[in-house]
Amino acid sequence: MTTRPQTPLKRGRPPGSTSFDPATAAAFGRVVRQARLEAGISQESLAYMAGVERSYFGRIERGKNQPTLYVILKVAAALGCEAGALVTLVERAMAEE
């Protein structure tokens, strides 16, 4: 049995990479804000319904924060829609840019 030389396992993101994409964050924020306004829900109320801080929710709507999948699921549930439908709207918004 031959053994291969052990190379150290690199964890995390490659140097210089980031998971924040400003265009995606802005598109998600616009879609969520539009859905919230169409539903007639205040930002504070939707943040409460989704279980996130209002200030954090405001940053999401302004495209300053990119939510995790867990937060996307909570926001979609608070809006009464499926997360997949919300993501589809974001994809369409990005394609229109």
Side-chain angles (χ1 to χ4, degrees), residues 43 47 53-65:
Q43 189 179 73
E53 270 190 44
R54 190 216 48 84
S55 60
Y56 174 63
F57 190 80
R59 289 191 305 273
I60 289 172
E61 280 195 357
R62 291 190 309 278
K64 302 298 181 189
N65 279 79

Side-chain angles (χ1 to χ4, degrees), residues 58-74:
R59 289 191 305 273
I60 289 172
E61 280 195 357
R62 291 190 309 278
K64 302 298 181 189
N65 279 79
Q66 189 166 305
T68 63
L69 175 59
Y70 180 63
V71 172
I72 292 170
L73 293 169
K74 291 181 2 175

Side-chain angles (χ1 to χ4, degrees), residues 10-35:
K10 295 183 181 181
R11 297 187 183 268
R13 294 185 206 123
S17 68
T18 179
S19 62
F20 181 78
D21 180 63
T24 304
F28 183 80
R30 284 192 310 274
V31 166
V32 169
R33 183 173 191 274
Q34 183 66 34

Side-chain angles (χ1 to χ4, degrees), residues 23-32 72 83-97:
T24 304
F28 183 80
R30 284 192 310 274
V31 166
V32 169
I72 292 170
L86 200 57
V87 171
T88 297
L89 291 172
V90 173
E91 289 175 327
R92 287 181 187 156
M94 292 178 68
E96 292 173 0
E97 291 179 352

